[in-house]
Structure formats: C-alpha cells, structure tokens
Amino acid sequence: QGIERRPLPIVSGSAAIEDLPEPEWLVEGVLPDGALHLLYGAPGIGKSFLALDISAAVATGNPWHGRSVKKGSVVQVVAEGAADLPIRIRAWRTQAGVDSVDDLHVVLGPVNLYSDHGAEQLGYQLDLLGISPALIVFDTLARCMAGGDENSAKDMGLVVAHSDALRSQYGCAVLAVHHAGKDARTERGSSALKGAVDTQLRLDGKQGTKTLKCEKQKTAAPFADIPLALVGEFQRSVHGPVMMTGANP
C-alpha cells in the first residue's frame, strides 16, 4: 500500500548500458546540455555579464569565445539589476555584430525555487507562451529562494529539486548565478549545492582581467582556465560593458 505505481527508467545489461547516449554540450567543453550548473564569484566581479554572455550566445547560436554552442531558446530570470539589462544586451549585440537576440526571454523579477509553486508558475507561463527553453538562468540564486536558508542542506535540496523539475520538464540546462562566501574562494551557503550540480564555475579577478575557473565537471575533464576581460566601462552610455576573451580592458 502507498507505493507509487509509475515506471522507472531501468536499463538492463552491459550492451544496453554502453549504448546509452553520451552527454552532449550546450557550450562545448564548458556546460553539458540538460544539466544543472553553478556560476559564482565575488560581488561586482561580472557574474551577471558573463551569464548574459552565455545566454545570448546560446540564443543566437554564436560561438561562445571560440567554443561551439547548441542553439536554443533561453529564459533569463533577472531577479536583480534589471535596470542595466538594455545596456548590457546592446553591448553584447554591438560586440557580437548581431542585429537582434530574438530567442532570449527575460523574466523581470525573481522566481522562487524554494517554494513548491515557483517552478510550476514559471513552467505554466512558458507553456502559455509556447517557449521550450534549452537553458534557464537564475540570477541570482539568493533572490530566487525567498524564505529559504542558504546554509541549510534541506532548504538547498528543495531549490535543487525544483530546478531538476524544470530540467526534466523541458530537457534543458539550468544555470544558477550565486555569490561567493567571505573568502571569495568558495560558494556561499550549504555544500549540498556543490554536491548537486554537474558543473561549478568560479569567476575570479579584479578590475579588468577576469578568469573563469572550473571547480567541478561531472561528465568530463575540467576545462583549462579561460581568461576574460570586462571592457567598455568608459562607454556605458553608448555600448556598455561586455565580456571578451583575452582582451585588454
């Protein structure tokens, strides 16, 4: 009594197991497709610029700093800093030489992944609009878990479970943008988050040059550090800041 009678995905025998499809890449060598990812760094380091840089590349199919991407719809949950969004996307288009980014869809406000209803509400609206995302970005995770405790493994587990529900629903990847702890060398909050994600990325650096480091890559070897630069600081009114590879600010 009480057993939920639903089929489980069981594969039997080595031949069938070895014939399972290998993981594909959303961003070649960086983000596996359909997986859960974490990007974190210190305040003001450029996490949101980098997240938008990835999102716009996927939405347009443009290579991401020389790496191929799997083109698809992107949903960007901008839970903070929405006022700068027009400048940032204009800057990306200018740098990439792209006229428009039509497959990028922005949620102007937080989606509560701690609540049982947050992910359901997002899914309902996406279905209503006929949007089937390849990537959903939550920027930032802290703003998207109202009522939850970042330091609680149980609360973080709920956030992960609701993220996984969205991944399962759309077969998409989920990228959470998160803050670093006081030492700026680890992610803030419970280590349950690192245990759950497939890929964990840390953005390091000071004014100008940045470095994207891979701290965890579950399905492949970690990639080598990627040098980035946040440029255009003195042309905000025209172009705005944008992430570039190997560029001098």
Side-chain angles (χ1 to χ4, degrees):
Q1 283 187 341
I3 296 176
E4 185 179 358
R5 298 188 181 277
R6 60 183 179 87
L8 292 172
I10 298 175
V11 178
S12 302
S14 61
I17 295 169
E18 291 175 20
D19 200 41
L20 288 171
E22 294 185 6
E24 297 182 357
W25 293 102
L26 184 67
V27 178
E28 181 188 10
V30 177
L31 298 180
D33 191 23
L36 179 61
H37 310 299
L38 177 69
L39 165 66
Y40 80 95
I45 197 163
K47 301 184 295 294
S48 292
F49 291 114
L50 179 54
L52 184 62
D53 186 33
I54 293 170
S55 294
V58 172
T60 58
N62 270 30
W64 184 79
H65 302 292
R67 297 169 181 261
S68 63
V69 304
K70 180 180 177 181
K71 185 180 184 303
S73 296
V74 179
V75 174
Q76 188 105 1
V77 179
V78 182
E80 57 182 87
D84 287 340
L85 191 59
I87 295 174
R88 293 177 182 183
I89 194 64
R90 189 179 303 120
W92 189 90
R93 287 197 308 100
T94 300
Q95 180 62 38
V98 172
D99 292 332
S100 63
V101 188
D102 297 330
D103 227 0
L104 176 62
H105 312 276
V106 176
V107 181
L108 297 173
V111 171
N112 193 351
L113 292 173
Y114 178 66
S115 161
D116 289 338
H117 305 297
E120 290 181 5
Q121 182 185 25
L122 177 61
Y124 171 77
Q125 288 218 237
L126 294 183
D127 290 347
L128 205 62
L129 295 170
I131 298 170
S132 182
L135 173 66
I136 303 176
V137 179
F138 293 95
D139 185 8
T140 60
L141 185 62
R143 291 290 183 93
C144 289
M145 57 176 300
D149 180 359
E150 289 182 1
N151 297 304
S152 165
K154 180 180 178 181
D155 289 3
M156 197 60 78
L158 283 173
V159 170
V160 169
H162 294 144
S163 300
D164 284 345
L166 287 167
R167 291 198 301 120
S168 177
Q169 182 175 353
Y170 296 106
C172 69
V174 170
L175 172 64
V177 180
H178 194 34
H179 298 295
K182 291 181 180 179
D183 62 358
R185 309 296 292 181
T186 57
E187 73 281 6
R188 199 169 72 185
S190 171
S191 60
L193 180 59
K194 183 174 184 177
V197 300
D198 294 86
T199 305
Q200 178 158 310
L201 310 175
R202 184 176 86 236
L203 187 60
D204 273 345
K206 298 180 180 179
Q207 184 70 22
T209 303
K210 319 287 182 183
T211 304
L212 183 64
K213 298 176 177 291
C214 182
E215 296 186 334
K216 179 182 179 182
Q217 191 67 284
K218 194 173 182 179
T219 59
F223 58 81
D225 290 357
I226 299 176
L228 299 168
L230 189 60
V231 300
E233 294 285 2
F234 302 108
Q235 301 176 28
R236 284 184 67 92
S237 61
V238 179
H239 299 301
V242 63
M243 281 287 180
M244 294 180 66
T245 298
N248 294 319

